[in-house]
Amino acid sequence: MASAHWSCLILALLSGLSQQLESFLEEKVHDIEVYSTKISCKVTSRFAHNVVTTKAVNQANASKEVSFDVELPKTAFITNFTLTIDGVTYPGNVKEKEVAKKQYEKAVSQGKTAGLVKASGRKLEKFTVSVNVAAGSKVTFELTYEELLKRHKGKYEMYLKVQPKQLVKDFEIEADIFEPQGISMLNAEASFITNDVLGSALTKSFSGKKGHVSFKPNLDQQRSCPVCTDSLLDGDFIITYDVNRVSPANVQVVNGYFVHFFAPEGLPMVPKNVVFVIDVSGSMSGRKLQQTKDALLKILEDIKETDYLNFILFSGGVTTWKDNLVQATPENIEEARTFVRGIEAAGMTNINDGLLRGISMLNKAREENTVPERSTSIVIMLTDGDANTGESNPSKIQENVRNAINGKFPLYNLGFGKYLNHNFLESMALENNGFARRIYEDSDANLQLQGFYEEVAYPLLTDVEVEYPQNAILDLTKNTYQHFYDGSEIVVAGRLVDEDMNNFKADVKGHGAINDLTFTEEVDMKEMEKALQEQDYIFGNYIERLWAYLTIEQLLDKRKNARGDEKENLTAQALDLSLKYHFVTPLTSMVVTKPEDFENQMDIADKPGEGGHGDDPLHGLPDGQLPPSCCTLLLCGWGPPLHHPSPRERRCHLLQH
Ligand SMILES: *[C@@H]1O[C@H](CO)[C@@H](O)[C@H](O)[C@H]1NC(C)=O
Ligand SMILES: *[C@@H]1O[C@H](CO)[C@@H](O)[C@H](O)[C@H]1NC(C)=O
Ligand SMILES: *[C@@H]1O[C@H](CO)[C@@H](O)[C@H](O)[C@H]1NC(C)=O
């Protein structure tokens, strides 16, 4: 069938694989004219509400498939999708995943599958929908997603992928930012073009609480060369900003929900005792090891003299630079450089012994008072594979590590490349107050490693606790944090028991480098109302949605290490909230009933399943690269499927034909 062929072509092109298909498609592209693409972003107090609208018309004489794809941040939740054809709107509904899946399976078994919605790059996930549009008809796609922008290294960052694939008459990105604390800096840049070339297409400004960014290239500005018909717009559009911090904290209350932002500035750094536990198994040799060494050498340049450190190398066995942690004196740093330069890789992967050695070294230093009393400890583990010697049962390793750390300091796990069990690394880091990060195998891996280190390099407070009046607050999100790092932000949200309360007091307590500190924030509700009166600018219930977003995110994280009844309870809570607030989370799906066939035809917007992206074969691959074990596929198939596909198979596109 013609439409099936067309749909395959679009997918092939998306994956950037086939030059031949691409040139063939270029001729066909005129059939479907995308005449408008708008990305509208409203940000209120770091909570972003983004709407992507694309309008297209089928110029061909026959009905054609029109495809809409948007890449959105992995940390975002889709909240709405609608399809409008010739004035008739088909809405998307958020349903429990199992319910949605059943409908999807049914459609598949009847040979009526249309797109599924998954594939991902480093920071983004792809949402794809295709629909058949009659000759001469118009179609509008509208996707909404929401996200809490997190502060890293002193700024909030909003990532927009721009890839219209053709010249678009009416193309625009527009962002309105409202921050009650006042905006201190705002920047916008595009990876595909220098700002001066498209100077007039880009405007940005901020003053007081409001910021505005608009990017509106006309057709000529979109051309890749003056006579070209292909688009220059292909890459990332990134907006960054920060807010004023006259006071270390800021509390906002709307409709009975509050959010509390905490990011004090100018505190002295708490000295840290850091142990780098580095995988030097055979698979690390070559570029990965060189990049790791480059990153470590750079980190050594920045390390403060008050810090203590050591390197633990593991392959089949464990070797260490020093027997104990040593202070980062210039002489020791020089010696550390020589050590790092000499690291070589060979052998198996003994994660268990490597980690336990590092942890026991930190414990010993503390017991024997060989590190400063007011210092804090951190373990950073880097590996590129699964444990395959010594204790290699993941749950046993987790148990050993959990018992050894015993809640005393955070563990950060860096997974290098894609041949590893990310779920395991994530789960282990989360239960030890840290997080896991993927390091993508690419030319900039050393920068990714350094970038991660900078986020945790400057602890300003430890054992941070955010306290509210007893009995005044319900449904509080996480309010204790082991570390507060410079350039980040602690966000706590909750619900007031009594909406008519006149004022309340919030305390943040923590241990600083010199003494213990308490930051008190008095919240006067009358003042608050006045401050938030710019109602046309902000979307009304943003704090409630922010609260729901944060709560779901934390429930899903907690769920990763829960079992039995507790897991069921966490799942039930997260599911209830996802359904109530229309969030597409790993527990829900967006189901769109398409007009071609009311009974069966639907698209599903999914988020990758359990534990991040561990089971997604496309995850972590550079755009357009196939995983080694890919798979038969369905996205292209309108005909009866040959067999019942597994979820894994559905994720992959058959591109090898
Ligand atoms: C579409 O129809 C017009 C007029 O009926 C005709 O001139 C044109 O060749 C047709 N195009 C195609 C691709 O069939
Ligand atoms: C989804 O978007 C449509 C079109 O903008 C709108 O009419 C509808 O109310 C939205 N649904 C939700 C749940 O926000
Ligand atoms: C989960 O557990 C909490 C406390 O243990 C309880 O209050 C709540 O009702 C439970 N929720 C569900 C959905 O089972």
Side-chain angles (χ1 to χ4, degrees), residues 52-226:
V52 182
T53 311
T54 289
K55 297 182 180 181
V57 55
N58 179 3
Q59 309 275 28
N61 292 357
S63 88
K64 290 271 174 207
E65 184 140 290
V66 184
S67 194
F68 167 73
D69 43 82
V70 172
E71 290 190 48
L72 58 147
K74 286 175 182 166
T75 45
F77 293 145
I78 290 173
T79 62
N80 199 358
F81 174 73
T82 60
L83 189 62
T84 304
I85 301 179
D86 289 336
V88 183
T89 296
Y90 304 88
N93 289 304
V94 176
K95 300 200 176 176
E96 183 177 355
K97 185 160 261 169
E98 286 313 306
V99 176
K101 276 264 143 67
K102 282 201 192 95
Q103 294 174 334
Y104 182 73
E105 306 273 335
K106 187 168 160 238
V108 170
S109 72
Q110 297 178 348
K112 301 213 171 170
T113 319
L116 182 67
V117 210
K118 200 81 288 85
S120 36
R122 279 191 193 179
K123 294 190 172 179
L124 302 165
E125 287 172 355
K126 190 177 285 182
F127 171 92
T128 307
V129 161
S130 338
V131 66
N132 258 315
V133 177
S137 284
K138 289 184 174 175
V139 58
T140 300
F141 301 94
E142 186 186 285
L143 176 75
T144 308
Y145 64 90
E146 294 181 336
E147 177 192 22
L148 178 63
L149 304 176
K150 295 213 166 69
R151 188 165 183 254
H152 290 300
K153 295 190 235 169
K155 60 195 183 210
Y156 308 98
E157 185 176 86
M158 189 150 62
Y159 232 83
L160 302 166
K161 184 81 166 185
V162 176
Q163 203 174 31
K165 299 196 206 86
Q166 59 170 278
L167 302 176
V168 179
K169 202 163 20 165
D170 193 4
F171 183 94
E172 182 170 18
I173 295 175
E174 186 165 41
D176 285 305
I177 300 168
F178 178 83
E179 286 290 347
Q181 284 158 282
I183 294 172
S184 63
M185 68 77 106
L186 173 69
N187 200 13
E189 56 190 58
S191 66
F192 44 88
I193 188 84
T194 56
N195 279 358
D196 49 312
V197 174
L198 271 189
S200 61
L202 179 68
T203 60
K204 54 187 184 209
S205 63
F206 67 94
S207 130
K209 297 173 183 172
K210 295 177 184 178
H212 182 82
V213 174
S214 163
F215 176 56
K216 203 174 174 178
N218 61 29
L219 284 174
D220 285 338
Q221 288 169 316
Q222 290 175 40
R223 288 181 209 282
S224 60
C225 75

Side-chain angles (χ1 to χ4, degrees), residues 9 14 51 178 230 241 248 254 297 300 302 333 336 341 352 374 388 492 515 563 592:
L9 289 176
L14 290 182
V51 183
F178 178 83
D230 59 331
Y241 74 94
V254 172
L297 290 170
L300 284 172
D302 294 337
I333 292 294
R341 285 197 197 99
N352 185 72
R374 276 195 176 270
N388 59 14
V492 183
N515 50 6
R563 317 229 173 292
V592 183

Side-chain angles (χ1 to χ4, degrees), residues 270-311:
V270 176
K272 63 183 182 303
N273 315 310
V274 56
V275 165
F276 296 93
V277 181
I278 310 287
D279 182 344
V280 292
S281 62
S283 57
M284 281 289 289
S285 64
R287 185 166 81 155
K288 277 193 273 190
L289 186 66
Q290 192 51 51
Q291 290 172 322
T292 302
K293 287 156 85 166
D294 290 348
L296 290 175
L297 290 170
K298 194 82 186 59
I299 287 168
L300 284 172
E301 280 175 30
D302 294 337
I303 217 153
K304 296 276 177 295
E305 195 165 349
T306 47
D307 289 346
Y308 281 67
L309 77 158
N310 201 355
F311 295 101

Side-chain angles (χ1 to χ4, degrees), residues 293 296-297 300-301 303 309-311 313 320-343:
K293 287 156 85 166
L296 290 175
L297 290 170
L300 284 172
E301 280 175 30
I303 217 153
L309 77 158
N310 201 355
F311 295 101
L313 310 182
T320 63
W321 169 43
K322 298 282 186 187
D323 293 337
N324 295 296
L325 277 104
V326 297
Q327 194 175 351
T329 58
E331 302 76 50
N332 282 338
I333 292 294
E334 194 47 50
E335 201 184 313
R337 270 194 206 107
T338 309
F339 175 79
V340 166
R341 285 197 197 99
I343 296 176

